Amino acid sequence: MKDNYTVLMSVYWKDRPEWLRESLDSIFSQTLRPKEVVLVEDGALGDELESVIMFYKEKYDFTKVIKIEQNVGLGRALNEGLKYCSNDIVARMDSDDIAMPERMARQLEVFDRCSDIDVVSCWIDEFMGSKSNIVSTKSLPENHEAIEKYAKRRCPVNHPAVMFRKSAVMAAGGYKHFRLFEDYYLWARMLVNGSKFYNIQEPLLWFRVSPEMYKRRGGIRYAIDEIKFQQELYRIGFIGFGDKLYNIGVRSVVRLIPNGLRAFFYKKVLRR
């Protein structure tokens, strides 16, 4: 398979130019550089972000820039970007994270070795400020059976570090808009559709976190969206009624506790 893969990234106006540069640098300095990078501009970005994107587009002629006039959200933006991905193997990357140099090569090895695998992710190191300041590691189960079981309770892959077969994603309906849960919704539908998953058992991406991140994952609106999502997982037959009740109960508590307790829960209970 070598380097026949596409990197897919969405950018919107709240992204920070300096973080976008770090993210793009990590893509273009991979030990196995991509054949193609698809950057989706999700609405108007402003001069600074546009300048960063144009710099890399001019430097690397295999970069495609897709412009969406109005901000449509991550799921819709990624679905639009998928239309322009020429390779079946697509690696996701967020505009504020940093890929470790061998991330893509390690994931491609799995696809080369296992022809039945459709989704490959890995662990991620979560950092604050500098990537040398690791505050936690988000680990996930390795093999498909354990991943499928885990997915009944929590998102089974780290979306910013995922690589997948575009054909399998599209067969499951692609990304669909579901506020806050676009990626988890896709994985659930792919699992229902028979796709096979694998998680590499080591971190291959630095994931940027902040106290604001934990705050964004709380509140009444988040709890309501969580309930709607669990109902949808039940509707499509991914979880049973008991799973739905358990998930709503546990997750509602996490969304409604004070931010300090929620941050502690994420770092000490849900992480290594």
Side-chain angles (χ1 to χ4, degrees):
M1 192 169 293
K2 298 182 180 178
D3 58 349
N4 292 325
Y5 71 97
T6 297
V7 173
L8 175 62
M9 176 188 289
S10 177
V11 185
Y12 84 128
W13 69 273
K14 286 187 178 180
D15 289 327
R16 292 176 58 167
E18 63 271 25
W19 292 352
L20 177 60
R21 287 191 195 95
E22 283 187 276
S23 183
L24 290 172
D25 282 340
S26 76
I27 292 171
F28 293 116
S29 60
Q30 287 291 299
T31 57
L32 276 180
R33 185 183 287 180
K35 276 285 192 215
E36 177 182 67
V37 175
V38 174
L39 291 173
V40 182
E41 295 188 4
D42 187 10
L45 301 183
D47 292 342
E48 282 191 271
L49 286 169
E50 285 284 3
S51 176
V52 173
I53 290 172
M54 286 304 102
F55 171 82
Y56 287 94
K57 187 177 188 301
E58 291 172 5
K59 186 174 182 180
Y60 303 99
D61 60 5
F62 51 90
T63 301
K64 295 179 181 178
V65 178
I66 314 303
K67 295 178 182 285
I68 301 176
E69 188 173 339
Q70 300 291 330
N71 179 263
V72 295
L74 182 62
R76 294 188 181 110
L78 293 178
N79 226 33
E80 182 65 18
L82 275 176
K83 298 175 184 177
Y84 297 88
C85 294
S86 304
N87 299 296
D88 189 45
I89 299 298
V90 177
R92 272 284 293 117
M93 188 73 189
D94 279 347
S95 56
D96 56 354
D97 299 327
I98 305 168
M100 297 182 188
E102 294 189 352
R103 176 201 153 183
M104 307 302 179
R106 293 290 306 282
Q107 291 178 300
L108 287 167
E109 285 175 5
V110 178
F111 283 111
D112 283 339
R113 190 172 68 247
C114 308
S115 61
D116 62 330
I117 296 294
D118 296 311
V119 178
V120 177
S121 190
C122 58
W123 297 1
I124 58 177
D125 277 341
E126 299 177 325
F127 73 96
M128 284 191 182
S130 166
K131 66 185 183 184
S132 62
N133 181 33
I134 306 300
V135 296
S136 55
T137 297
K138 186 177 179 183
S139 60
L140 293 166
E142 180 176 11
N143 296 312
H144 177 77
E145 292 74 17
I147 291 171
E148 189 168 33
K149 181 179 179 181
Y150 184 92
K152 307 290 184 182
R153 293 283 188 262
R154 297 174 58 192
C155 188
V157 298
N158 287 315
H159 188 210
V162 78
M163 186 179 278
F164 54 67
R165 297 188 192 275
K166 175 182 173 181
S167 53
V169 167
M170 301 313 292
Y175 284 94
K176 292 185 178 181
H177 180 69
F178 206 115
R179 195 180 100 84
L180 304 173
F181 299 101
E182 290 92 349
D183 61 315
Y184 196 168
Y185 190 29
L186 173 60
W187 316 137
R189 286 182 285 112
M190 291 183 75
L191 287 165
V192 169
N193 211 38
S195 288
K196 301 297 183 184
F197 286 58
Y198 182 81
N199 284 316
I200 296 171
Q201 297 296 285
E202 63 182 277
L204 293 173
L205 180 125
W206 289 287
F207 180 83
R208 197 180 302 272
V209 297
S210 68
E212 289 72 29
M213 183 194 79
Y214 303 116
K215 185 176 182 180
R216 289 195 302 270
R217 294 184 178 183
I220 293 291
R221 187 180 180 190
Y222 204 124
I224 292 171
D225 288 334
E226 185 96 65
I227 292 169
K228 291 178 180 177
F229 180 61
Q230 294 300 322
Q231 290 173 333
E232 178 62 13
L233 293 183
Y234 175 69
R235 187 193 69 80
I236 66 174
F238 183 64
I239 60 174
F241 186 73
D243 292 320
K244 181 179 78 168
L245 290 182
Y246 176 88
N247 291 344
I248 288 174
V250 172
R251 288 168 172 268
S252 295
V253 170
V254 174
R255 303 310 170 200
L256 298 176
I257 60 178
N259 189 51
L261 283 177
R262 183 164 48 254
F264 177 85
F265 183 79
Y266 268 93
K267 289 187 283 188
K268 302 299 182 182
V269 178
L270 299 181
R271 302 290 189 268
R272 287 169 61 115

